[in-house]
Amino acid sequence: MADDTGAIVSYVGLGLFLPALVAFGLVLAVRRSPSGLTGTAIALAFLLSWIAERGTLEVPGSERWHLIAVAVLALGAFTPWLSVLEDRVPDVLAGAVAASIVGVALGKWVSFPGWTPYHAWAMGCAAGVVGLSTEWCALRRPGAAIPFSLAACIGTESVLLAMSGFLSLAVPAGAMALALGAASLVLGRPLHARDQRVTADSPVRTLAGGGALTAVATLTLLGFAGWSYNFSAIQPWMWLLPIAAPAVLLLTEVPGLAALSTRSPTARFAICMVPMTAICVVVLYLAWRAMNDGGGSGA
Amino acid sequence: MPAPLRCRLLAVLPITLVATMSLLVGITALRAPAAGVTPATPVTPAEAVWKLDPIHSIALFRIQHLKSGMFWGRVNGLEGTVTYDQGGSTAPVLDVTASLDHMDTGSERLDGNLKGPNFFNAAEFPTLSFKSTGGERVSESQWRVTGDLTIRGKTQPVAVSLDVTGFGGIALESRAGFEATLTIKRSDFGMPWGIEKPTAVLSDDVRLIVSLEGIQQSGG
């Protein structure tokens, strides 16, 4: 029994916490470097966890879901260049170009079993649109709120994957969520700032510069993969809603809420976090209920 | 007895006798092919193709859970054929396919887990199959059959112990029964989860007992 406990602790430690810790260390190390490296750090957490879980990184992989690791590898390498681009062209244009590239790449090269091209392009569009809006918000609002929110969404997908029995993907997703959650702690003060555009010499760090795009694109892949490989009682909308949840960040652009959000850091943080957290909690609760209504043990 | 009535009785009696005998023959024919008894019609052929009856063909699998209990599950509805020369020296030729849609562990949640990418990945590989490549007789009713087993898109050569369990049938059909047993290592088929990481959740060795019942299609 003691051997088993040790093995489980080492499995969780190696697969979940160690990759997250390495990524967190990287965020600390590059705190004063271009902010897009946060995206690379969370991609690294995912990939290290993937290798710990599977023993190898299959490129291109023998099964379709292995493409997720390849895509995260590409995202971690590609998206930090957005921070370079953002310094040279209007940020919305830079974000639109990067989000379009990511969306088209996912739509063209990633497809899961039973899919038509429409499914792939729907996934690409979701990653592009949600990624653009989140990246844009992250650029305008340095602070912990957006990384926390994205960590919650990725964490939700991780828990759903674990509930459905897809642990090989749940563990890397959990590592990325942990890394992003931990990184939020050092990504800046205040908790949520508005209309403070991040520049190279900003005193605060953010997920902008490709980090948000990496997180949202991975989130999209996790949700669509979970849906495609699902044989559990978890409903399709439960997989897909957390992908759209980051778009709630746009609420803070609504004039009334934007005015409210200027009053206090706590209010700004709450406006950002509460709706997204509520979506995640509701999805997890209903998924848990659906799984337990079916009866039996999945262990 | 009046003559017309006697004439009518004489006419009806043979008809009744013939009808009763026909009924008796029919009932006997229906009841006759008990297990192990070769039915009169059709004759069990020297070599025949037996198409598997999915209702009576299943695969049971047994795996050790958490280094303790032996867990049993089954895959129902096997399809395919067995070609067998009953009196000859040619080994049975098996071509069997199982759909993972028919996975049945008694728990829908566990069925879902097993169909997921951590185990069978039924979304990408919805079927399992076995095709025999040869074999040798071990005893009168037992064969050692070799063949290719494909699980999760990976094909591995395996050896199967095959018992010919009997011949029978009902009415106009003949049936043959076979039972195959083998032990595989699931890691050979790309299913290593739970053997080492995390350790010993489920054993590597999986014992399979496959019961096949075929209906004669051709031969003889």
Side-chain angles (χ1 to χ4, degrees):
Chain A
M1 179 64 82
D3 289 349
D4 291 347
T5 308
I8 290 168
V9 168
S10 75
Y11 172 72
V12 175
L14 275 175
L16 204 65
F17 291 110
L18 191 60
L21 196 64
V22 170
F24 181 62
L26 186 62
V27 172
L28 283 177
V30 300
R31 194 155 43 153
R32 301 206 174 279
S33 303
S35 55
L37 284 179
T38 306
T40 305
I42 59 172
L44 183 68
F46 185 97
L47 294 170
L48 286 176
S49 176
W50 181 286
I51 292 167
E53 162 69 20
R54 299 189 53 77
T56 179
L57 180 65
E58 306 96 333
V59 179
S62 55
E63 295 174 19
R64 290 195 188 182
W65 63 278
H66 296 166
L67 283 171
I68 296 171
V70 180
V72 172
L73 181 66
L75 286 164
F78 165 72
T79 52
W81 293 97
L82 186 55
S83 61
V84 178
L85 198 62
E86 279 170 349
D87 288 340
R88 284 161 177 75
V89 297
D91 49 39
V92 174
L93 178 63
V97 169
S100 301
I101 292 171
V102 168
V104 168
L106 293 188
K108 191 166 172 56
W109 285 308
V110 181
S111 131
F112 296 124
W115 277 23
T116 63
Y118 297 111
H119 290 93
W121 288 114
M123 181 176 69
C125 285
V129 171
V130 181
L132 172 61
S133 60
T134 313
E135 181 72 29
W136 184 58
C137 289
L139 193 71
R140 290 160 60 85
R141 293 174 194 75
I146 291 174
F148 261 135
S149 308
L150 290 174
C153 293
I154 295 171
T156 300
E157 292 290 1
S158 171
V159 174
L160 290 177
L161 288 163
M163 287 165 80
S164 75
F166 197 169
L167 282 163
S168 293
L169 193 55
V171 174
M176 180 182 260
L178 270 179
L180 190 52
S184 305
L185 300 173
V186 295
L187 281 172
R189 300 285 187 275
L191 287 172
H192 182 103
R194 187 167 187 276
D195 296 332
Q196 295 177 12
R197 194 186 185 290
V198 178
T199 59
D201 53 353
S202 291
V204 292
R205 295 290 96 196
T206 178
L207 254 193
L213 193 53
T214 302
V216 168
T218 309
L219 172 68
T220 309
L221 286 165
L222 294 173
F224 275 86
W227 169 50
S228 300
Y229 287 94
N230 181 42
F231 290 96
S232 72
I234 298 172
Q235 299 299 307
W237 69 266
M238 297 175 186
W239 292 107
L240 301 180
L241 194 57
I243 297 171
V248 170
L249 291 168
L250 291 173
L251 278 178
T252 53
E253 292 299 315
V254 176
L257 289 173
L260 181 66
S261 73
T262 57
R263 291 189 184 168
S264 76
T266 310
R268 291 193 288 265
F269 187 72
I271 286 170
C272 204
M273 284 298 294
V274 168
M276 204 177 299
T277 309
I279 289 171
C280 294
V281 168
V282 167
V283 165
L284 286 176
Y285 172 69
L286 292 177
W288 176 80
R289 259 189 47 180
M291 292 295 288
N292 284 291
D293 283 351
S297 162
Chain B
M1 185 180 293
L5 182 59
R6 196 183 310 142
C7 285
R8 223 175 293 159
L9 271 175
L10 283 173
V12 170
L13 198 60
I15 295 169
T16 310
L17 277 172
V18 169
T20 308
M21 284 181 70
S22 301
L23 266 175
L24 284 172
V25 168
I27 290 166
T28 310
L30 280 171
R31 297 183 64 179
V37 178
T38 306
T41 306
V43 178
T44 303
E47 184 178 70
V49 175
W50 308 86
K51 186 180 178 189
L52 297 183
D53 171 6
I55 294 171
H56 296 100
S57 300
I58 61 164
L60 293 168
F61 59 88
R62 189 192 76 167
I63 190 165
Q64 192 170 25
H65 180 237
L66 292 173
K67 289 195 277 191
S68 52
M70 290 296 179
F71 178 79
W72 287 88
R74 57 194 274 176
V75 182
N76 304 315
L78 305 188
E79 294 182 343
T81 57
V82 178
T83 306
Y84 182 46
D85 173 2
Q86 192 183 356
S89 58
T90 311
V93 178
L94 280 73
D95 184 352
V96 182
T97 302
S99 167
L100 288 168
D101 281 345
H102 301 136
M103 173 79 71
D104 178 8
T105 62
S107 158
E108 284 183 16
R109 189 167 168 182
L110 191 49
D111 292 347
N113 274 1
L114 289 175
K115 289 179 198 171
N118 269 59
F119 294 98
F120 287 100
N121 192 2
E124 289 191 51
F125 308 106
T127 58
L128 323 172
S129 67
F130 176 79
K131 287 187 190 338
S132 62
T133 53
E136 57 187 22
R137 190 186 283 276
V138 176
S139 68
E140 191 177 345
S141 63
Q142 196 174 48
W143 294 82
R144 183 180 177 277
V145 175
T146 54
D148 293 328
L149 179 64
T150 303
I151 299 175
R152 200 177 164 134
K154 290 187 169 52
T155 301
Q156 297 284 345
V158 294
V160 175
S161 174
L162 183 76
D163 285 328
V164 181
T165 55
F167 294 89
I170 189 167
L172 297 175
E173 66 177 29
S174 293
R175 289 180 177 245
F178 306 88
E179 187 174 271
T181 56
L182 71 158
T183 300
I184 60 167
K185 289 198 178 296
R186 62 188 176 98
S187 56
D188 291 342
F189 296 91
M191 289 191 282
W193 193 91
I195 300 169
E196 290 179 358
K197 283 187 283 185
T199 186
V201 174
L202 293 165
S203 63
D204 193 8
D205 287 345
V206 182
R207 185 161 178 75
L208 298 169
I209 300 176
V210 184
S211 179
L212 305 172
E213 186 173 311
I215 303 168
Q216 182 196 327
Q217 299 298 301
S218 64

